[in-house]
């Protein structure tokens, strides 16, 4: 099982999370590409850390929305979104290659991630951009999303992600952050959820429905308070359950 986190989200003198500690715990890092978060120096530091610790780098592409941290959905034309994703891929991949690393998968961020569950036009723009950059680049996302359907049709390897610290609705989508209880904080419950997802491929939704997920990767948000302790507990819980941790890519 892969364990991923959204990292490299600091910007200038503003700091988000404890990346040095998180890089020690994950097997894959979704590195911000400068549009929703991150900057060239942060990208460079992230790629260096990933290379030194043998952590797989993924391009965490998002809307051009620094002020909103990429959590505001934007209406964009096909060409606008195509260009923005292509730009972010090229930026992070160039930085990665400069330090001996590489971008080995793509995972959209925030509002873009959620919109690509159902928005066929925006999914088409993202898949087209990834395909234009590297036709074999894997894409990580929610099961049954437009993103993964179109990526699979375009010939990309696709991988399914589940979230150990986010609440689910009965349809397998995430409960919006605007709703109470969307982000989980009980470490014991999160560890139990992570082990259940990895071992049984299922998660309990907010209404009690058991949702089948069958993930290839489990995500812990690096910007959540107590993220390092949570990630360490999740990793320890998975290992104690006999689940090997390795990157899906």
């Amino acid at each position: 099982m892969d364990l991923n986190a959204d990292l490299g989200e600091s910007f200038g003198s503003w700091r988000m999370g404890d990346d040095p500690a998180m890089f020690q715990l994950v097997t894959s890092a979704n590195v911000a590409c400068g549009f929703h978060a991150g900057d060239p120096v942060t990208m460079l530091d992230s790629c260096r850390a990933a290379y030194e610790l043998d952590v797989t780098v993924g391009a965490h592409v998002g809307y051009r929305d620094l002020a909103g941290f990429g959590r505001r959905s934007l209406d964009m034309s096909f060409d606008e979104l195509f260009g923005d994703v292509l730009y972010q891929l090229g930026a992070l991949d160039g930085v990665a290659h400069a330090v001996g690393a590489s971008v080995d998968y793509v995972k959209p961020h925030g509002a873009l991630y959620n919109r690509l569950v159902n928005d066929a036009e925006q999914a088409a723009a993202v898949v087209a951009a990834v395909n234009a950059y590297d036709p074999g680049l894997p894409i990580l996302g929610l099961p049954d999303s437009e993103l993964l359907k179109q990526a699979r049709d375009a010939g990309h390897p696709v991988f399914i992600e589940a979230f150990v610290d986010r609440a689910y609705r009965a349809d397998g989508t995430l409960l919006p952050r605007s709703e109470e209880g969307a982000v989980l904080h009980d470490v014991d419950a999160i560890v139990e959820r992570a082990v259940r997802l990895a071992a049984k491929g299922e998660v309990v939704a907010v209404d009690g429905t058991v949702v089948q997920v069958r993930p290839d990767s489990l995500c812990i948000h690096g910007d959540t308070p107590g993220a390092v302790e949570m990630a360490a507990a999740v990793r320890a819980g998975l290992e104690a359950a006999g689940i090997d941790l390795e990157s899906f890519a």
Side-chain angles (χ1 to χ4, degrees):
M1 179 59 64
D2 177 63
L3 189 60
N4 80 73
D6 303 343
L7 301 175
E9 293 181 323
S10 297
F11 183 80
S13 61
W14 181 78
R15 289 288 172 262
M16 170 62 81
D18 186 351
D19 281 6
M22 290 295 290
F23 268 108
Q24 300 277 346
L25 297 169
V26 299
T27 51
S28 296
N30 318 309
V31 178
C33 304
F35 271 27
H36 78 274
D39 57 37
V41 173
T42 302
M43 292 160 65
L44 188 60
D45 289 344
S46 298
C47 290
R48 281 177 175 150
Y51 179 73
E52 291 170 0
L53 295 168
D54 198 26
V55 172
T56 300
V57 174
H60 202 30
V61 298
Y63 287 126
R64 193 193 298 248
D65 180 30
L66 279 175
F69 199 62
R71 288 181 176 159
R72 299 181 293 191
S73 185
L74 300 182
D75 293 328
M76 303 179 69
S77 70
F78 183 98
D79 284 347
E80 286 174 327
L81 187 53
F82 176 93
D84 277 8
V85 171
L86 196 59
Y87 186 100
Q88 292 174 81
L89 281 172
L92 184 64
D93 198 35
V95 170
H97 274 90
V99 298
S102 60
V103 170
D104 292 329
Y105 68 94
V106 176
K107 173 191 167 180
H109 165 81
L112 180 60
Y113 185 99
N114 291 324
R115 186 153 178 171
L116 297 181
V117 172
N118 297 308
D119 192 317
E121 183 177 358
Q122 289 208 359
V126 171
V127 171
V130 177
N131 191 260
Y133 191 80
D134 182 348
L137 200 57
I139 298 178
L140 180 66
L142 282 183
D144 301 320
S145 62
E146 274 293 328
L147 174 67
L148 293 196
K149 290 175 185 175
Q150 294 194 33
R152 186 181 293 110
D153 289 344
H156 287 269
V158 299
F159 294 90
I160 292 171
E161 178 177 40
F163 294 82
V164 302
D165 56 359
R166 289 293 307 277
Y168 276 79
R169 295 187 290 200
D171 63 357
T173 60
L174 300 178
L175 189 69
R177 285 178 176 268
S178 58
E179 297 189 26
E180 184 177 353
V183 180
L184 310 183
H185 299 284
D186 185 323
V187 174
D188 290 339
I190 288 169
V191 172
E192 182 181 352
R193 167 179 282 206
V195 172
R196 183 170 181 172
L197 277 164
K200 297 183 178 181
E202 61 186 31
V203 64
V204 179
V206 290
D207 67 350
T209 302
V210 176
V211 180
Q212 298 298 316
V213 181
R214 309 253 176 230
D216 301 296
S217 183
L218 301 177
C219 179
I220 297 178
H221 285 91
D223 61 337
T224 303
V228 174
E229 293 77 12
M230 186 188 303
V234 167
R235 183 175 182 118
L238 292 170
E239 291 175 337
I243 296 163
D244 295 329
L245 294 175
E246 61 180 6
S247 172
F248 68 89

